[in-house]
């Protein structure tokens, strides 16, 4: 049985990280890809768990070595999906990428079978409330993230599936169903 490369995208604060962690906890056959980023770790984040935190110089070296499946700039930082890491994991497991819409669409160019899932909030106001409740960004950073919400959501038609993250457990079950359906037998 081949495995599925799943891309989970959606605006900052919609719940991607929460859902990704829960999917991996509940399903032994799903692995999370770990991206490289040049942003600083938030409180509680550990190198090699949430991200590989690297310097701008190291990130540039990796770009030159063609080491990313895709990468993009987000706010003032760079984020990239390490190619060999993902391909290795895909041999044994379904792999979940939690990346922005540009990254997702770039992955699809290389992997026609990648399954793109857009996570939407019930309302835009829910995102503001969630970002504030998460309490990990300054008001200025939250404003920057807000500016990008409409862009992310405008790409929904290019995605294979749209899932609304209203009740967390319902959204998780819907994504589990999509993976089951998409897994080639
Ligand atoms: P993202 O990874 O998309 O930026 P997070 O997973 O960090 O978003 O979620 C942002 C905040 O919203 C977190 O505090 C999280 O606990 C909360 N959250 C996630 N899903 C839900 C939900 N269905 N209902 C209410 N709050 C949620
Ligand atoms: P955050 O700083 O909140 O962890 O992430 C900011 C944005 O970067 C989110 O939209 C997240 O999905 C995106 N992101 C994380 N990793 C990657 C990656 O490897 N590639 C791309 N293109 N985006 C990523």
């Amino acid at each position: 049985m081949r495995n599925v490369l799943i891309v989970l995208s959606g605006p900052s604060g919609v719940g991607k990280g929460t859902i990704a962690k829960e999917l991996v906890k509940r399903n032994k056959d799903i692995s999370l890809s770990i991206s490289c980023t040049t942003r600083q770790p938030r409180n509680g984040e550990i190198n090699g768990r949430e991200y590989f935190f690297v310097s701008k110089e190291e990130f540039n070296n990796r770009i030159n070595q063609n080491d990313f499946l895709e990468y993009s700039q987000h706010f003032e930082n760079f984020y990239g999906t390490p190619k060999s890491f993902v391909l290795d994991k895909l041999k044994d497991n379904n792999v979940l990428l939690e990346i922005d819409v540009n990254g997702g669409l770039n992955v699809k160019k290389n992997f026609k079978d990648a399954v793109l899932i857009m996570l939407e909030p019930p309302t835009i106001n829910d995102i503001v409330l969630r970002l504030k409740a998460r309490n990990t960004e300054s008001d200025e950073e939250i404003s920057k993230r807000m500016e990008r919400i409409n862009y992310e959501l405008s790409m929904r038609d290019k995605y294979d599936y749209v899932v609304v993250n209203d009740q967390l457990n319902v959204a998780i079950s819907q994504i589990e169903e999509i993976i089951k359906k998409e897994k080639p037998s």
Side-chain angles (χ1 to χ4, degrees):
M1 186 181 273
R2 285 190 300 126
N3 293 310
V4 189
L5 183 62
I6 311 133
V7 174
L8 187 63
S9 302
S12 186
V14 73
K16 300 180 295 294
T18 307
I19 286 185
K21 277 196 198 95
E22 208 47 44
L23 279 169
V24 169
K25 214 195 286 175
R26 294 183 193 185
N27 298 277
K28 297 245 172 316
D29 62 347
I30 302 178
S31 289
L32 205 55
S33 167
I34 302 171
S35 297
C36 291
T37 182
T38 60
R39 87 151 157 75
Q40 291 299 307
R42 294 183 189 128
N43 268 347
E45 285 184 332
I46 292 175
N47 187 34
R49 191 178 67 186
E50 281 80 10
Y51 285 103
F52 295 112
F53 296 99
V54 299
S55 63
K56 287 204 167 128
E57 192 186 359
E58 186 175 343
F59 199 96
N60 278 330
N61 288 340
R62 290 190 184 213
I63 293 174
N64 294 334
Q65 287 159 8
N66 196 21
D67 205 16
F68 291 125
L69 202 54
E70 62 72 38
Y71 67 91
S72 68
Q73 187 174 5
H74 232 328
F75 316 111
E76 66 275 22
N77 296 307
F78 287 90
Y79 296 79
T81 307
K83 197 193 283 176
S84 51
F85 185 82
V86 169
L87 297 183
D88 259 7
K89 277 185 182 274
L90 208 49
K91 287 180 195 152
D92 300 320
N93 256 336
N94 301 305
V95 178
L96 183 68
L97 305 182
E98 186 203 320
I99 59 177
D100 76 321
V101 284
N102 295 337
L105 295 173
N106 281 334
V107 166
K108 188 86 172 180
K109 281 186 202 150
N110 296 327
F111 273 88
K112 293 277 169 282
D113 290 341
V115 177
L116 305 189
I117 303 176
M118 172 74 71
L119 203 57
E120 285 191 342
T123 69
I124 300 286
N125 195 40
D126 285 293
I127 294 206
V128 189
L129 295 177
R130 285 177 194 177
L131 278 175
K132 286 192 170 153
R134 189 168 72 183
N135 207 16
T136 49
E137 279 89 17
S138 64
D139 285 349
E140 194 194 334
E141 281 171 332
I142 289 180
S143 300
K144 278 196 217 158
R145 280 162 197 256
M146 296 293 304
E147 283 167 20
R148 200 173 150 94
I149 291 177
N150 287 333
Y151 173 70
E152 295 266 336
L153 295 177
S154 73
M155 295 294 166
R156 72 199 301 279
D157 291 346
K158 297 192 162 71
Y159 268 57
D160 299 308
Y161 296 92
V162 175
V163 170
V164 178
N165 182 20
D166 188 355
Q167 296 300 311
L168 191 60
N169 281 325
V170 174
I172 291 168
S173 302
Q174 286 174 347
I175 294 174
E176 286 170 342
E177 283 306 310
I178 291 169
I179 296 169
K180 259 191 224 149
K181 189 175 130 196
E182 291 284 348
K183 191 148 173 140
S185 46

